């Protein structure tokens, strides 16, 4: 934490806990290069094999029964479903995913649980100290993500997992997880435009990077893709004699009336891919005959249990604010989704629009049955009071995204999809990220920082205001809610439909103050655009 740090290279204070010391050491591996830096690629990739030798990981990785997953959208969800299915089949599982939302240990899961602090520290220092000892100026310490991938392989080898499910961090071909030479099966989730500064400007180029995880004759599965992407995947598969198949989306009827553990209709695509990956893994490791893959009319009980009990933070997650206690109902509720591509924005907007209707049983704008929220039963408990049910809903957008993303591609589908479902944001709040990119750990969440650069947030605000002006549907928001009119001096910039705050804690404080002053209103805040933002809000909402 900030108060424990010494200035510029001075010794650390002894008040650091052992865990904080490890996070400090890990922070030292974060380079200030952008992710688009060309040194992430090519010949630098070969250095990973030097690290494997230093850590004696070559043989353990070759013996591991790995499922390797790349893609633009749905990687985390697909890996989560896959892990949950195989764990429910009785296997000892290891899951490596990114990013983490609150704690670095979320990236390393053993049997569905994040690794405990004690084990994390033991494996962390084993790898860190050995690399410190053996690296030099020709082969320097690995940067942050590469170190985390190496640490994951060490953890899963030492813990002797039956299956290691490895989610690619970025791209595929040059990703640190791609030191795997012979996985059991590979998966490619939905492809779209993201990280174009690194992966290319066309779907074909992006597909080519993701297909970099294909290995000679190792079976691979994907989901239905745009033609341009599918052509490239098929071409790369053909060059390596990879049997590539398209997994069908899961038919909801196979769940016997239960719901997927992860919300949103797009999850049926990810679940279908996870089923194909698990079935192939079971078959190729000798745990399943050839018959299952042909059976499309039933799912084994363990598969159903795995799919319906899977959970993943920050994806279509509903979190009532813990800070405000109310006997009647919770008046400040965060709807969290880490969407950050145009396609996922649309999916997120559809989920939010349906979720807030389900959250307010008195509002009957919908005839169809909404396809979400496993939190509903908790929510219903909170809303048994009549006054709670009649509380006026005020949808708010809380948004930030990385500067490499184009808000002109992200905000319009979000606004339009919500408007199509009759949902109009009363106010959009834009905030800078709390996450400090050169530091891992629990930074102090201060209310404001006068030095913070808000130019990007003003850009986002301008895009939003222009959209609102040009959007006739925006008329619905002209009834600027009384509850939002007061006290905007806390914001750095207040416009008719939006405000910029100089920090996330200030925006949350403003929301909490509005709620206290307006007992008849329920604020429903969609938090999206960045998984970092979602993680930061989770920390604050649970305080």
């Amino acid at each position: 934490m900030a108060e424990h740090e010494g200035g510029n290279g001075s010794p650390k204070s002894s008040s650091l806990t052992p865990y904080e010391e490890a996070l400090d050491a890990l922070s030292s591996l974060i380079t200030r290069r952008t992710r688009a830096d060309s040194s992430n690629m090519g010949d630098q990739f070969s250095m990973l094999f030097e690290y494997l030798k230093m850590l004696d990981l070559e043989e353990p990785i070759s013996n591991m029964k790995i499922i390797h997953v790349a893609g633009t959208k749905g990687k985390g969800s697909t890996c989560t479903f896959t892990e949950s299915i195989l764990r429910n089949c009785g296997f000892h599982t290891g899951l490596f995913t990114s990013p983490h939302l609150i704690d670095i240990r979320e990236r390393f899961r053993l049997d569905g649980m994040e690794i405990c602090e004690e084990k994390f520290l033991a494996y962390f220092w084993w790898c860190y100290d050995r690399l410190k000892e053996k690296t030099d100026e020709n082969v320097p310490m690995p940067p942050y993500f590469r170190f985390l991938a190496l640490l994951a392989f060490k953890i899963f080898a030492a813990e002797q997992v039956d299956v290691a499910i490895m989610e690619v961090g970025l791209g595929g071909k040059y990703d640190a997880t791609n030191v795997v030479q012979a996985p059991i099966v590979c998966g490619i989730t939905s492809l779209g435009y993201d990280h174009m500064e690194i992966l290319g400007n066309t779907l074909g180029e992006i597909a080519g990077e993701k297909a970099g995880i294909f290995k000679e004759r190792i079976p691979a599965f994907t989901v239905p893709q745009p033609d341009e992407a599918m052509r490239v995947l098929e071409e790369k598969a053909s060059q390596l004699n990879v049997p590539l198949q398209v997994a069908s989306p899961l038919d909801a009827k196979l769940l016997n009336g239960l719901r997927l553990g992860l919300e949103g209709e797009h999850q049926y695509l990810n679940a279908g891919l996870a089923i194909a990956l698990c079935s192939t893994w079971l078959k190729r490791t000798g745990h399943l005959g050839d018959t299952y893959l042909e059976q499309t009319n039933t799912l084994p009980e363990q598969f159903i249990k795995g799919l319906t009990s899977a959970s993943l933070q920050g994806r279509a997650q509903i979190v009532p604010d813990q800070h405000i206690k109310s006997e009647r109902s919770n008046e400040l509720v965060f709807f969290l989704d880490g969407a950050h591509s145009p396609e996922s924005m649309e999916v997120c907007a559809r989920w939010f629009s349906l979720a807030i209707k389900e959250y307010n049983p008195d509002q009957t704008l919908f005839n169809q049955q909404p396809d979400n929220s496993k939190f509903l039963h908790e929510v219903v408990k909170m809303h048994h009071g009549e006054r709670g049910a009649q509380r006026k809903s005020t949808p708010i957008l809380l948004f930030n995204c990385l500067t490499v993303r184009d808000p002109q591609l992200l905000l319009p589908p979000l606004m339009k999809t919500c408007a199509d479902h009759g949902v109009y944001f009363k106010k959009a709040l834009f905030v800078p990220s709390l996450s400090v990119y050169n530091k891992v750990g629990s930074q102090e969440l201060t209310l404001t920082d006068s030095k913070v650069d808000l130019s990007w947030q003003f850009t986002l605000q301008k895009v939003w205001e222009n959209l609102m002006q040009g959007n006739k549907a925006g008329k619905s928001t002209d009834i600027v809610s009384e509850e939002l009119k007061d006290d905007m001096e806390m914001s750095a910039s207040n416009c008719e439909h939006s405000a910029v705050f100089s920090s996330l804690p200030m925006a949350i404080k403003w929301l909490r103050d509005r709620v206290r002053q307006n007992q008849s209103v329920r604020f429903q805040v969609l938090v999206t655009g960045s998984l970092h933002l979602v993680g930061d809000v989770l920390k604050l909402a649970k305080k």
Side-chain angles (χ1 to χ4, degrees):
M1 290 189 178
E3 68 265 30
H4 298 313
E5 288 171 2
N8 297 333
S10 64
K12 293 193 293 280
S13 157
S14 59
S15 59
L16 280 181
T17 66
Y19 190 58
E20 286 166 339
E21 279 180 28
L23 295 184
D24 263 12
L26 183 55
S27 298
S28 72
L29 302 178
I30 298 176
T31 60
R32 296 186 183 275
R33 290 197 317 251
T34 67
R35 291 186 293 180
D37 191 304
S38 60
S39 60
N40 286 328
M41 309 291 188
D43 58 341
Q44 295 290 315
F45 180 73
S46 59
M47 216 176 268
L48 279 159
F49 297 94
E50 299 296 321
Y51 299 135
L52 293 184
K53 284 187 190 132
M54 292 174 188
L55 297 173
D56 298 324
L57 281 174
E58 292 164 300
E59 190 183 346
I61 290 176
S62 69
N63 292 332
M64 244 180 246
K65 294 179 169 57
I66 292 169
I67 296 174
H68 200 188
V69 180
T72 306
K73 305 185 297 292
K75 295 192 298 290
S77 300
T78 299
C79 289
T80 299
F81 281 134
T82 301
E83 185 282 328
S84 188
I85 290 170
L86 292 175
R87 173 163 38 90
N88 278 282
C89 288
F91 294 100
H92 178 27
T93 62
L95 171 63
F96 175 64
T97 59
S98 60
H100 62 278
L101 294 185
I102 295 176
D103 191 306
I104 194 82
R105 292 179 294 118
E106 294 165 31
R107 295 173 183 246
F108 314 93
R109 293 186 177 265
L110 295 166
D111 299 324
M113 304 293 289
E114 62 189 52
I115 190 170
C116 67
E117 206 170 286
E118 188 182 2
K119 281 185 177 178
F120 174 82
L121 288 174
Y123 294 129
F124 174 87
W125 288 118
W126 188 92
C127 291
Y128 188 87
D129 291 342
R130 184 168 282 219
L131 287 168
K132 267 289 187 203
E133 182 191 324
K134 294 178 181 257
T135 49
D136 55 31
E137 56 192 37
N138 295 321
V139 182
M141 282 291 281
Y144 175 68
F145 183 78
R146 288 185 170 183
F147 179 86
L148 294 178
L150 294 163
L151 177 57
F153 286 121
K154 172 63 186 173
I155 290 169
F156 298 156
E159 292 290 319
Q160 299 183 307
V161 298
D162 298 321
V163 56
I165 298 133
M166 304 295 293
E167 179 194 339
V168 164
L170 191 60
K173 186 177 181 182
Y174 298 118
D175 187 75
T177 60
N178 205 29
V179 294
V180 176
Q181 299 299 291
I184 301 295
V185 61
C186 295
I188 307 278
T189 64
S190 299
L191 297 177
Y193 294 101
D194 197 16
H195 300 300
M196 291 154 67
E197 76 283 8
I198 304 167
L199 304 178
N201 291 312
T202 68
L203 269 184
E205 286 173 324
I206 290 168
E209 283 295 319
K210 310 288 185 185
I213 69 166
F214 288 166
K215 302 295 185 299
E216 184 93 30
R217 299 183 188 281
I218 302 291
F221 289 87
T222 188
V223 296
Q225 302 283 8
D227 291 346
E228 183 187 356
M230 190 58 87
R231 271 197 304 276
V232 173
L233 293 181
E234 286 168 347
E235 187 185 307
K236 298 277 183 190
S238 166
Q239 289 164 9
L240 291 167
N241 296 308
V242 166
L244 175 66
Q245 294 179 62
V246 176
S248 303
L250 169 66
D251 180 348
K253 291 199 285 288
L254 297 181
L255 295 177
N256 299 339
L258 298 172
R259 304 167 78 142
L260 284 176
L262 306 182
E263 300 298 341
E265 60 216 56
H266 59 295
Q267 294 296 2
Y268 289 93
L269 210 60
N270 298 326
L273 179 56
I275 289 166
L277 294 173
C278 291
S279 305
T280 304
W281 187 88
L282 288 165
K283 184 174 153 188
R284 294 199 73 222
T285 53
H287 295 285
L288 188 70
D290 289 348
T291 51
Y292 171 68
L293 285 173
E294 279 68 60
Q295 291 179 3
T296 51
N297 56 344
T298 62
L299 267 183
E301 198 56 46
Q302 301 96 315
F303 277 51
I304 294 173
K305 191 166 181 212
L307 290 166
T308 55
S309 64
S311 68
L312 186 58
Q313 280 201 116
R315 275 72 163 189
Q317 184 179 3
I318 302 174
V319 177
D321 184 36
Q322 302 296 303
H323 194 77
I324 293 178
K325 303 289 182 228
S326 166
E327 290 170 18
R328 293 187 307 271
S329 69
N330 210 299
E331 300 117 327
L332 179 56
V333 184
F334 295 102
F335 293 74
L336 302 146
D337 192 88
H340 51 264
S341 71
E343 300 90 345
S344 56
M345 274 293 148
E346 201 174 312
V347 170
C348 164
R350 200 159 53 236
W351 163 72
F352 175 67
S353 302
L354 294 169
I356 64 172
K357 300 306 190 306
E358 191 171 79
Y359 203 93
N360 289 327
D362 59 307
Q363 292 187 13
T364 52
L365 293 176
F366 274 94
N367 296 323
Q368 72 223 61
Q369 184 59 35
D371 169 34
N372 57 12
S373 185
K374 65 183 172 189
F375 297 92
L376 183 60
H377 61 282
E378 293 171 27
V379 168
V380 167
K381 279 190 289 189
M382 291 193 291
H383 294 300
H384 44 69
E386 261 188 54
R387 288 177 64 191
Q390 291 162 358
R391 207 169 289 281
K392 191 171 75 174
S393 168
T394 302
I396 305 274
L397 174 65
L398 182 55
F399 188 91
N400 190 34
C401 65
L402 291 176
T403 52
V404 293
R405 302 217 160 87
D406 183 353
Q408 302 277 9
L409 295 176
L410 298 182
L411 292 172
L414 176 66
M415 181 186 283
K416 183 182 184 307
T417 306
C418 284
D420 288 348
H421 287 79
V423 173
Y424 304 96
F425 292 103
K426 298 290 192 295
K427 202 88 175 173
L429 312 180
F430 299 101
V431 293
S433 179
L434 264 184
S435 303
V436 179
Y437 290 106
N438 64 345
K439 180 109 173 68
V440 188
S442 50
Q443 298 89 28
E444 280 302 292
L445 307 180
T446 53
L447 263 188
T448 185
D449 179 354
S450 55
K451 299 187 295 293
V452 72
D453 177 9
L454 295 173
S455 53
W456 178 243
Q457 283 64 45
F458 293 139
T459 300
L460 297 175
Q461 181 180 41
K462 190 174 175 188
V463 171
W464 185 260
E465 288 293 329
N466 287 341
L467 282 170
M468 291 299 285
Q469 300 307 331
N471 189 348
K472 288 179 187 151
K475 284 178 185 164
S476 302
T477 61
D478 289 346
I479 320 156
V480 175
S481 318
E482 285 301 316
E483 63 271 11
L484 296 178
K485 281 183 175 170
D486 346 320
D487 188 31
M488 284 309 285
E489 65 266 17
M490 284 175 67
S491 65
S493 163
N494 180 32
C495 294
E496 187 182 355
H497 306 290
S498 62
V500 170
F501 284 87
S502 56
S503 76
L504 174 61
M506 283 195 78
I508 302 281
K509 180 181 185 313
W510 179 81
L511 283 165
R512 286 170 175 164
D513 289 348
R514 298 287 73 66
V515 165
R516 288 191 189 97
Q517 290 162 19
N518 297 275
Q519 297 298 310
S520 62
V521 174
R522 177 177 303 118
F523 286 80
Q524 296 175 310
V525 184
L526 173 61
V527 182
T528 191
S530 155
L531 272 167
H532 294 290
L533 176 63
V534 164
D536 292 337
V537 170
L538 271 172
K539 285 176 207 160
L540 289 168
K542 292 181 174 179
K543 272 193 163 185

